[in-house]
Amino acid sequence: MSFVEYSDLIQDGDVAIVYLNHISAMPVKVKHGAQTQTRYGVIRHSTDLIGQRYGSKVTCSKGGWVYVLHPTPELWTVSLPHRTQILYTTDIATITMMLELKPGSVVCESGTGSGSLSHAILRTIAPTGHLHTVEFHQQRAEKVAEEFKEHRVDHLVTVRNQDVCKDGFGVVGVADAVFLDIPSPWEAVGHAKAALKKHGGRVCSFSPCIEQVQRTCEVLADQGFQEISTLEVLLRVHDVRTISLPLPDFGPDPAARAEPGIVDKAPLPAAPNHSSVTMKTTTPPREMPGHTGYLTFATKPRT
Amino acid sequence: MADKGDDDDQYRIKEGDCVVLKRGDIYKAVQIQPKKKIIFEKQWIFLDNAVGHLYSTTFEIVAGGTLKPQEVKDTESPPDLKVAGTDNRNIVDDGKSQKLTRDDIETLKEQGLKGQEIIQQLIENSSTFNNKTGYAQDKYIKKKKKKYENTVAILKPTCRILAMMYHGREPGKICHLRYDTLAQMLTLANIHAGSKVLVFETCAGLVLGAIMERMGGYGSVIQMYPGGGPVRAGVESFGFPAHFHDMLHDFPICHVNALLAGTLDTTAKDPTADEKQFEMAADEEQNQPETDQQEGSPEEQSMDTKTGDDAGQDQGEMEKEKRKETQEKKLKLEEKRRRLAAAAALLESRNADGLVIASRFHPCPVLLGLLKFLSPSRPFVVYSQCKEPLIECYTKLKEQGGTVNLRLTDTWLRHYQVLPNRTHPLLLMSGGGGYVLSGTTVAIDRFKPAGSPQAEEPAAKRQKLKDTEG
C-alpha cells in the first residue's frame, strides 16, 4: 500500500480505509494484534485484515459487515482527521487540472493544513515530482509530516515549518506551480513568483471572501502575472430514487364508452382505484455546500 | 537557479511541434509545418517565424501573415484617460458618435496600421468618448482591442488548454464534456503514474490524452474502441514524446464478449479467421490515412461507418502493386495481431486499476461489461451528457452489487470578473457540463446470489421514501 501505488493485499503497517456506508469511512492503521471498533462490531487486524484483498467484505463481531478499501487521496479527504478546514475533492480536481499538474511537476503549497490537497498533489506528481509545503503551525507541520511517512509518500515531499508570507517557500526558481490557501495570499504573491521557474508557471489562490480575491488579483497584476482568472466550482449530488405519482380519478368517461373500438383499451389504465405512475428520478439534497472558496488562477510569464 | 540559459532549448518552438494558438479566450491547436497557411480568427498566418522562439511568446501578425515577436508591453499602456464624464445623462445614442465610416476603417486596415493605432483613431473620432465614465472608456477600449488587435500567442499544449479549446470550439465532438467535469473525472478515477487504466471514449481522444498526461508515460492505458479503429486526433494535439505511446494499447470493444467468454483467439491459426482479420486490416488501412489528415476536422465520427466501398473501387488500379502490398499487409496484419494479443493479455488478468467511460454510446452495457476487468477496490467514472442513462447505470449497479461509494454528480462552474469596483460573476455562464457517475469496485460476495445487497442502506432509503411520499 502507498498513496501513489496500488497493491492487492492488505499488509501489516498499511493504512486501509474501512468503508461503513456512503457517508462514513474511517482510516485504520493495520497492525498485528490490534483491534478496531466500528458500530458493526470489532475488526481484528490479524485475522480480518492482514493478508486479505483490498476491496474485501469483512464481517465484524456483531454480524454486520464493512468493506476495506485501498487508500486513495479522495477516500483520505473524506476520512482524515481534521486539524483545519480542508479542501474537498471538487476544488482539488479543478486545482489539479488548472495548475497543470502531472508526473514530474514541482509544486509549492501553503498552508499544509490537514494535508487533504497535499495527498492529491503527491498522487499526481509521483514518481518524479516534488512537493514543497509550508505550514507555520508547528504541531500541524509535525503531524502532517508523520502522516506522509505512514502513507509512504515522504520521499516526494518536504514540509517546512515557517511563515510563507515572511520567509517564502524555502526554494527559489524550481516550481512549476504554486498553491496558496492562507488568509492573506496577497502577501505571498512575491514569494510565489520567486519560487516559480524562470520560464514561468501557474499559480492558484483559494479564498473564501471576495475582498481577499480583489486584493490578490491586484497584486498578481502588479507582479506581472497574466491570464488572471477567478472561478468557482460547486458540486451537486443527485440522489437516485424511485418516485410514484398517483393519478387522479376523473370518474367514468362517457366518450370512451361511446366508441366501441376504445372500450377494450380504456378501462386498463383508468380502472384501478389508486393507479399511479412509478419512475426513477433524482432529487437534489435538501442542503448543499453553496460556497467553499473562490479559486484565482494566473500564469507567471517567463522572466 | 535550476534552469539556466542553456535549458531553454526544451522550451523553444520546433518544426513539427504541436502547439496551441491563443488570442483572448480563443484557442486553436495546430502543428508547426514549414510554409503552411493556417486560418486563425479569420486571418491567414504562417508559423515559420515562430520556430526557435520560446513557448508563450506573443507574436504580432504582420503583412503576408508572417509573425513578429511582440515588443514588450507596448499594448499595455492605454491612451490618456484624463478626460472622463461622471454619468451618461447627456449621452444620446444618435448613431453618429463615430465619425469614421466603415470604409474609413477598412482603409486604415489596408494601410497596415497596427491595432493599437486603429483604436486610437476610433477614440479620437468618437464624439462621446470623453463624456463616458472612466469605466465605460476602459470597456470601450477593451472591446475594440479584442476586435482590432493582431496578436497571437503560441503555447505548449496541456490538458487544461486543450479541454478549454475543445469546449469552446467543438463541444459536440467531445459530448459537451466541460473542462471542470473532465477535471473531476481524472481525480475521481485516481488517475496517476504506474496504474493500468481502461478507457472507452468518443471524445476525439481528449479524455485519452488527458489520462496519458496524468500518467506521464508510466503504467498502461488500454483504449477500448468501437468501430474500425480508435480516434485519437485529440491525443496528437498533446504532442506527447514518443515513449508515451509505448504505454498505449487498444482493443476493439466488439471482441469483449469473446474475451470474457475465453473464446478470443489472438493466434488466428485457422484460415477463415485469418481472412477476416485480413479484411479488417484492409479496411483499416483505407481509413488510417484519412484520420491522419483529418485531425480536428468534423468528419472523424463518420470514420467508423466507412468500410469496404473505397477498397472495392481502388482494387482495379492497384492490380500490379497488389503482390507487394499483400506482403506489406501481411506484416501489418501480424503487427495488428501482436497488438491485439498484447492488449488481450493485459485485460485477461482482470486486474485493471481504473475505468473511465465518456462516449456517445449508452453507458450502461459498456460499464457493466468493462467493470469485470477491474480489480476490487478500484475507482471508476462514467460521463454522460444526460442524467437519465446514469440513473439506469446506478440502478443496475445497486441491483447486481460489486460496487460501493456510488455517486451521481454534476458541477456548476462560475467565472468572475475581478476589477477594482467592478467585481461580479460573468454575465454568461455554461449551462451544463454533463453528469458523472463514480464509484469503487469491491469483491463480489460469493455466498449470496446477485441482488442480495438489499439488506444494505439503499433498501432502507427506498423504504423511507415510500413512507414519506407513498
Side-chain angles (χ1 to χ4, degrees):
Chain A
M1 173 275 359
S2 145
F3 270 64
V4 296
E5 208 173 338
Y6 281 119
S7 46
D8 289 334
L9 301 181
I10 304 168
Q11 287 172 307
D12 193 13
D14 280 6
V15 173
I17 308 289
V18 171
Y19 179 88
L20 299 156
N21 58 48
H22 74 294
I23 45 166
S24 57
M26 55 195 267
V28 169
K29 274 178 240 171
V30 179
K31 201 170 169 243
H32 260 299
Q35 295 189 347
T36 299
Q37 283 290 347
T38 74
R39 82 171 79 140
Y40 303 114
V42 169
I43 300 172
R44 291 182 179 81
H45 294 201
S46 305
T47 51
D48 296 339
L49 297 181
I50 294 170
Q52 298 293 313
R53 231 179 152 188
Y54 278 108
S56 304
K57 185 187 263 189
V58 171
T59 307
C60 307
S61 61
K62 287 182 195 163
W65 69 79
V66 296
Y67 283 103
V68 185
L69 301 181
H70 196 285
T72 66
E74 289 61 52
L75 287 168
W76 179 246
T77 290
V78 295
S79 59
L80 61 81
H82 284 216
R83 297 179 288 271
T84 56
Q85 178 65 261
I86 63 162
L87 279 166
Y88 288 95
T89 297
T90 313
D91 284 321
I92 289 172
T94 313
I95 291 163
T96 308
M97 180 192 267
M98 300 304 268
L99 284 183
E100 304 183 337
L101 305 188
K102 57 187 183 199
S105 296
V106 176
V107 186
C108 290
E109 175 202 37
S110 186
T112 320
S114 306
S116 171
L117 174 68
S118 316
H119 280 81
I121 293 175
L122 291 168
R123 173 264 315 275
T124 306
I125 64 174
T128 48
H130 199 86
L131 173 65
H132 298 273
T133 188
V134 173
E135 170 61 54
F136 69 175
H137 190 287
Q138 196 191 335
Q139 279 87 358
R140 274 186 225 147
E142 283 165 6
K143 189 76 194 126
V144 86
E146 202 179 295
E147 278 171 1
F148 289 142
K149 200 159 197 168
E150 265 171 25
H151 299 166
R152 293 167 198 151
V153 289
D154 50 319
H155 57 296
L156 296 165
V157 54
T158 308
V159 184
R160 290 184 176 84
N161 178 211
Q162 59 192 45
D163 182 349
V164 72
C165 296
K166 286 205 193 92
D167 315 317
F169 290 95
V171 286
V172 171
V174 299
D176 298 289
V178 173
F179 177 80
L180 296 170
D181 178 8
I182 52 174
S184 49
W186 56 89
E187 290 177 11
V189 167
H191 295 298
K193 192 178 175 184
L196 285 164
K197 281 181 181 162
K198 193 177 90 180
H199 87 275
R202 297 276 294 166
V203 59
C204 173
S205 169
F206 174 94
S207 295
C209 305
I210 202 73
E211 289 81 1
Q212 294 169 303
V213 174
Q214 191 91 46
R215 292 185 74 169
T216 308
C217 285
E218 269 172 53
V219 177
L220 282 169
D222 286 348
Q223 296 261 0
F225 281 83
Q226 296 173 348
E227 287 188 282
I228 301 169
S229 149
T230 299
L231 53 88
E232 185 179 24
V233 181
L234 289 178
L235 183 76
R236 298 200 301 171
V237 180
H238 304 268
D239 285 334
V240 178
R241 44 173 62 184
T242 310
I243 60 158
S244 183
L245 303 173
L247 296 168
D249 183 6
F250 285 94
D253 185 358
R257 219 163 272 177
E259 289 174 58
I262 303 175
V263 172
D264 295 337
K265 292 175 193 165
L268 279 173
N273 289 332
H274 48 83
S275 60
S276 61
V277 174
T278 305
M279 64 180 85
K280 282 267 176 202
T281 185
T282 65
T283 51
R286 272 190 62 216
E287 278 186 327
M288 58 174 268
H291 179 66
T292 53
Y294 301 104
L295 294 170
T296 299
F297 294 94
T299 302
K300 185 204 140 186
R302 194 199 153 75
T303 44
Chain B
M1 320 233 138
D3 55 359
K4 298 227 174 66
D6 2 4
D7 281 354
D8 275 355
D9 248 17
Q10 54 166 318
Y11 304 121
R12 284 191 195 282
I13 301 165
K14 285 181 274 298
E15 205 178 294
D17 276 5
C18 292
V19 303
V20 179
L21 310 180
K22 176 180 193 273
R23 178 190 292 165
D25 295 328
I26 315 281
Y27 299 92
K28 181 177 177 135
V30 295
Q31 197 181 14
I32 305 265
Q33 285 170 320
K35 290 178 189 149
K36 193 175 176 215
K37 260 188 183 180
I38 282 160
I39 308 178
F40 181 56
E41 289 292 278
K42 299 176 195 160
Q43 262 180 323
W44 289 105
I45 45 177
F46 290 94
L47 298 175
D48 304 56
N49 289 353
V51 174
H53 286 281
L54 291 161
Y55 272 103
S56 304
T57 304
T58 301
F59 295 90
E60 215 172 297
I61 302 168
V62 291
T66 54
L67 299 176
K68 199 179 105 195
Q70 195 179 38
E71 289 121 55
V72 199
K73 304 270 174 194
D74 65 339
T75 56
E76 288 305 308
S77 54
D80 287 337
L81 297 175
K82 276 169 198 159
V83 197
T86 48
D87 56 43
N88 60 8
R89 74 181 74 191
N90 294 318
I91 297 180
V92 184
D93 182 13
D94 54 4
K96 291 176 198 154
S97 56
Q98 181 53 256
K99 287 181 219 98
L100 290 180
T101 64
R102 180 178 298 206
D103 291 340
D104 293 338
I105 297 169
E106 282 305 312
T107 324
L108 289 178
K109 270 198 205 165
E110 273 160 33
Q111 286 169 358
L113 242 63
K114 280 187 185 171
Q116 187 65 29
E117 293 160 341
I118 296 178
I119 296 166
Q120 193 56 45
Q121 293 267 355
L122 287 170
I123 291 171
E124 279 164 18
N125 287 289
S126 165
S127 58
T128 51
F129 186 82
N130 288 338
N131 296 331
K132 287 178 195 265
T133 63
Y135 299 136
Q137 290 180 346
D138 229 14
K139 201 169 165 183
Y140 180 87
I141 292 169
K142 238 183 212 163
K143 215 167 133 188
K144 295 299 172 198
K145 223 183 204 172
K146 209 171 163 188
K147 192 164 172 190
Y148 293 104
E149 211 163 47
N150 251 355
T151 60
V152 57
I154 299 186
L155 310 178
K156 217 179 174 82
T158 63
C159 172
R160 168 182 74 99
I161 291 168
L162 292 173
M164 289 171 71
M165 178 192 84
Y166 267 105
H167 186 255
R169 293 178 80 88
E170 304 170 297
K173 252 189 181 175
I174 54 164
C175 308
H176 295 82
L177 170 67
R178 212 209 285 130
Y179 40 94
D180 56 312
T181 313
L182 176 59
Q184 302 303 317
M185 292 169 65
L186 295 169
T187 295
L188 290 171
N190 192 21
I191 302 297
H192 64 278
S195 42
K196 184 203 276 194
V197 181
L198 293 191
V199 188
F200 181 75
E201 68 127 289
T202 59
C203 294
L206 171 69
V207 175
L208 180 65
I211 290 169
M212 287 171 69
E213 183 184 282
R214 286 287 177 91
M215 296 182 61
Y218 305 92
S220 49
V221 182
I222 307 152
Q223 181 184 16
M224 315 294 290
Y225 63 88
V231 175
R232 288 181 183 164
V235 180
E236 302 307 318
S237 304
F238 279 83
F240 290 128
H243 74 269
F244 272 48
H245 291 272
D246 298 343
M247 69 188 284
L248 180 55
H249 303 264
D250 45 61
F251 188 85
I253 198 137
C254 60
H255 287 345
V256 163
N257 278 338
L259 186 67
L260 284 169
T263 55
L264 181 71
D265 185 11
T266 50
T267 54
K269 285 272 158 57
D270 80 291
T272 49
D274 213 11
E275 210 143 281
K276 256 186 205 160
Q277 291 249 342
F278 188 89
E279 272 164 31
M280 269 178 65
D283 283 351
E284 214 166 290
E285 229 172 284
Q286 292 294 330
N287 289 327
Q288 222 57 62
E290 230 175 328
T291 29
D292 289 343
Q293 286 155 15
Q294 278 183 356
E295 267 165 36
S297 85
E299 271 109 48
E300 275 162 1
Q301 294 204 340
S302 69
M303 193 188 86
D304 45 25
T305 58
K306 260 191 188 174
T307 45
D309 293 354
D310 297 16
Q313 276 180 4
D314 294 348
Q315 251 163 19
E317 314 167 41
M318 294 186 173
E319 203 64 59
K320 289 173 197 168
E321 290 175 19
K322 208 164 182 188
R323 233 168 245 179
K324 209 167 142 197
E325 238 172 61
T326 316
Q327 198 56 36
E328 271 173 30
K329 273 183 188 168
K330 244 181 199 160
L331 279 174
K332 271 197 180 160
L333 180 66
E334 202 48 53
E335 163 69 12
K336 198 177 138 67
R337 194 182 296 145
R338 202 187 52 73
R339 287 187 65 86
L340 184 76
L346 279 172
L347 288 168
E348 256 166 352
S349 45
R350 299 200 184 191
N351 62 353
D353 296 318
L355 169 65
V356 178
I357 299 170
S359 81
R360 63 194 151 84
F361 292 91
H362 196 310
C364 212
V366 184
L367 176 62
L368 297 182
L370 299 187
L371 265 186
K372 295 170 185 154
F373 294 109
L374 255 60
S375 278
S377 195
R378 297 293 188 273
F380 59 89
V381 291
V382 192
Y383 167 83
S384 173
Q385 199 194 335
C386 318
K387 195 167 60 174
E388 287 70 18
L390 296 183
I391 295 178
E392 197 183 322
C393 290
Y394 183 101
T395 311
K396 288 252 168 71
L397 287 178
K398 281 285 185 192
E399 277 168 15
Q400 78 169 35
T403 61
V404 293
N405 220 1
L406 287 183
R407 292 229 293 179
L408 176 49
T409 57
D410 74 327
T411 46
W412 199 73
L413 175 69
R414 193 157 193 171
H415 283 269
Y416 287 82
Q417 167 180 301
V418 182
L419 287 170
N421 298 317
R422 282 156 294 168
T423 296
H424 57 70
L426 285 199
L427 300 184
L428 207 62
M429 58 181 278
S430 160
Y435 297 84
V436 170
L437 176 68
S438 61
T440 309
T441 57
V442 290
I444 292 165
D445 207 342
R446 259 168 273 148
F447 307 106
K448 287 176 188 167
S452 66
Q454 269 158 11
E456 278 176 294
E457 11 103 53
K461 236 199 240 162
R462 237 170 267 148
Q463 204 60 50
K464 237 187 262 166
L465 184 79
K466 268 178 201 156
D467 291 342
T468 53
E469 311 211 11

